[in-house]
Amino acid sequence: MRGTVLYGPGDVRFEERATPTIVDPTDAIIRLSATCVCGSDLWPYRGLNAASEPSPMGHEYCGIVEEAGRAVKTVTRGQFVVGSFAASDNTCPHCRAGYHTSCAHRQWVVGAQAPVLRVPLADGTLVATPDVPSAELVPGFLAVSDVLGTGWFAADAANVKPGATVVVVGDGAVGLLGVLAARQMGAQRIIAMSRHDKRQELAREFGATDIVTERGDAGVDRIIDMTHGVGADSVLECVGTQESMMQAIHAARPGGYVSYVGVPHGVQLDGQQLFFEHVHLHGGPAPVRRYLSELIDLVLNGKINPGKVFDLTLPLDQVAEGYRAMDERRAIKALLRP
Ligand SMILES: [Zn+2]
């Protein structure tokens, strides 16, 4: 088969690779219905993570089980499955506590920007739909596997409650789906921070009640002003930079909650400053597995349509254009069809 490999900054190649096969008896082999480019793929693409050797890319996926290892019990050949970017056993103490991305047996899933993928720990990682879904639901399920799961965790970790005032920092796919999650959790006011027309429009469609275009201190001043000097109950930080993190912390009210789900790059927090902020901080790689069944149901029943974040669809062999379009912010998120 041919799959996606990042050789260095800006150098994405779609090239011949070995077709994955069962390695451990707990593995499953999936033929992908769709895959995509993640915002986090852009960090190494931009040279901001040192890549020492060519790396197979992609960790968002859904598709049909082609083969299940002999120890796999919960999924079988022919089923449509959704999994997360972290394989987990779903049985260890961390999984049972809902922190599957800290699973004692965690393995990162790599190489999903390809037609075929090996998923380790299939029983703990994959959730099957009742039937093979129609093609129009596939983008929604693909979103579940990472961006929606991450946006959902962002809202959950920020303790979004019915009636809450919520701020979402970041208008990438995760931030936009954080808006959708906050709406589903009953937030009353959802303020999306965005300066792009197309993204503002989608934020509103997903449930944002207000848009703030200012950034940094000016953005914080606007939030404080809009909340009558109080600050937000819940703030979702969906970027991972120093500016976005400080913006999130300063936008929260004393006693408020800040979640952070963007991989931090160069973020430094000052202990004394944090002490006087009086905020709850909770983040990390989203334990998407915790939410899979619930989110699959919401998509299946047409309650939500997270697949709308894919505003560019390309054949998989044009994956390099998907990276370019996202890097240049011409696309929110690129869906790739094998
Ligand atoms: Zn575990």
Side-chain angles (χ1 to χ4, degrees), residues 74-75 80-84 88 90 100 122-130 140-141 143-146 148-149 152 184 287-304 306:
T74 60
V75 297
F80 182 90
V81 291
V82 184
S84 123
S88 53
N90 202 30
H100 298 75
D123 278 337
T125 306
L126 299 172
V127 175
T129 56
F141 289 123
V144 166
S145 90
D146 183 354
L148 177 59
W152 205 268
Q184 288 290 312
V288 174
R289 177 66 181 83
R290 189 202 301 180
Y291 308 109
L292 279 184
S293 300
E294 180 185 0
L295 299 181
I296 285 171
D297 279 351
L298 288 171
V299 170
L300 204 54
N301 298 325
K303 297 264 168 54
I304 56 174

Side-chain angles (χ1 to χ4, degrees), residues 201-277:
E201 197 180 305
L202 195 51
R204 285 198 185 276
E205 197 176 330
F206 283 156
T209 54
D210 304 84
I211 303 287
V212 165
T213 54
E214 292 90 341
R215 280 188 187 173
D217 291 343
V220 171
D221 288 347
R222 281 278 290 140
I223 301 291
I224 299 300
D225 201 40
M226 290 165 80
T227 54
H228 310 291
V230 176
D233 302 308
S234 301
V235 184
L236 287 58
E237 193 285 301
C238 305
V239 183
T241 62
Q242 181 73 21
E243 184 186 48
S244 61
M245 193 69 169
M246 295 322 296
Q247 196 173 310
I249 290 170
H250 292 147
R253 63 187 295 163
Y257 290 75
V258 174
S259 65
Y260 56 107
V261 296
V263 183
H265 282 74
V267 176
Q268 304 274 348
L269 299 179
D270 178 280
Q272 185 149 13
Q273 194 184 0
L274 264 187
F275 181 81
F276 285 102
E277 293 286 350

Side-chain angles (χ1 to χ4, degrees), residues 21-40:
T21 52
I22 301 281
V23 176
D24 296 313
T26 46
D27 292 346
I29 302 297
I30 314 294
R31 182 156 295 274
L32 300 186
S33 302
T35 181
C36 51
V37 181
C38 183
S40 67

Side-chain angles (χ1 to χ4, degrees), residues 3 176 232 302:
L176 292 168

Side-chain angles (χ1 to χ4, degrees), residues 30-336:
I30 314 294
R31 182 156 295 274
L32 300 186
S33 302
T35 181
C36 51
V37 181
C38 183
S40 67
D41 294 334
L42 296 179
W43 292 106
Y45 180 79
R46 290 169 174 161
L48 294 166
N49 288 357
S52 52
E53 53 189 35
S55 313
M57 298 298 287
H59 54 260
E60 298 164 85
Y61 59 95
C62 60
I64 306 282
V65 176
E66 198 158 77
E67 191 185 351
R70 59 187 157 74
V72 176
K73 293 181 181 73
T74 60
V75 297
T76 54
R77 187 182 157 83
Q79 278 185 316
F80 182 90
V81 291
V82 184
S84 123
F85 54 86
S88 53
D89 57 18
N90 202 30
T91 56
C92 78
H94 304 317
C95 284
R96 288 205 301 274
Y99 287 83
H100 298 75
T101 27
S102 282
C103 175
H105 298 108
R106 179 190 65 202
Q107 296 182 49
W108 300 114
V109 173
V110 292
Q113 288 160 6
V116 181
L117 176 70
R118 179 178 80 94
V119 180
L121 303 172
D123 278 337
T125 306
L126 299 172
V127 175
T129 56
D131 301 296
V132 173
S134 58
E136 62 266 25
L137 288 180
V138 165
F141 289 123
L142 180 63
V144 166
S145 90
D146 183 354
V147 269
L148 177 59
T150 299
W152 205 268
F153 173 63
D156 197 7
N159 195 43
V160 174
K161 297 286 188 226
T165 294
V166 177
V167 168
V168 179
V169 180
D171 62 2
V174 168
L176 292 168
L177 290 170
V179 169
L180 180 152
R183 166 60 64 210
Q184 288 290 312
M185 293 175 191
Q188 185 178 39
R189 190 170 193 194
I190 304 173
I191 304 166
M193 305 192 81
S194 170
R195 42 177 61 179
H196 296 81
D197 291 347
K198 210 169 77 171
R199 294 166 189 243
Q200 292 172 2
E201 197 180 305
L202 195 51
R204 285 198 185 276
E205 197 176 330
F206 283 156
T209 54
D210 304 84
I211 303 287
V212 165
T213 54
E214 292 90 341
R215 280 188 187 173
D217 291 343
V220 171
D221 288 347
R222 281 278 290 140
I223 301 291
I224 299 300
D225 201 40
M226 290 165 80
T227 54
H228 310 291
V230 176
D233 302 308
S234 301
V235 184
L236 287 58
E237 193 285 301
C238 305
V239 183
T241 62
Q242 181 73 21
E243 184 186 48
S244 61
M245 193 69 169
M246 295 322 296
Q247 196 173 310
I249 290 170
H250 292 147
R253 63 187 295 163
Y257 290 75
V258 174
S259 65
Y260 56 107
V261 296
V263 183
H265 282 74
V267 176
Q268 304 274 348
L269 299 179
D270 178 280
Q272 185 149 13
Q273 194 184 0
L274 264 187
F275 181 81
F276 285 102
E277 293 286 350
H278 246 159
V279 297
H280 301 73
L281 267 185
H282 183 35
V288 174
R289 177 66 181 83
R290 189 202 301 180
Y291 308 109
L292 279 184
S293 300
E294 180 185 0
L295 299 181
I296 285 171
D297 279 351
L298 288 171
V299 170
L300 204 54
N301 298 325
K303 297 264 168 54
I304 56 174
N305 189 1
K308 286 197 169 170
V309 291
F310 297 106
D311 57 345
L312 175 66
T313 297
L314 294 169
L316 180 56
D317 62 5
Q318 289 176 33
V319 57
E321 168 56 16
Y323 277 78
R324 269 194 301 275
M326 284 175 62
D327 179 42
E328 294 162 11
R329 285 177 78 86
R330 281 185 280 121
I332 299 171
K333 197 164 173 72
L335 183 141
L336 305 165

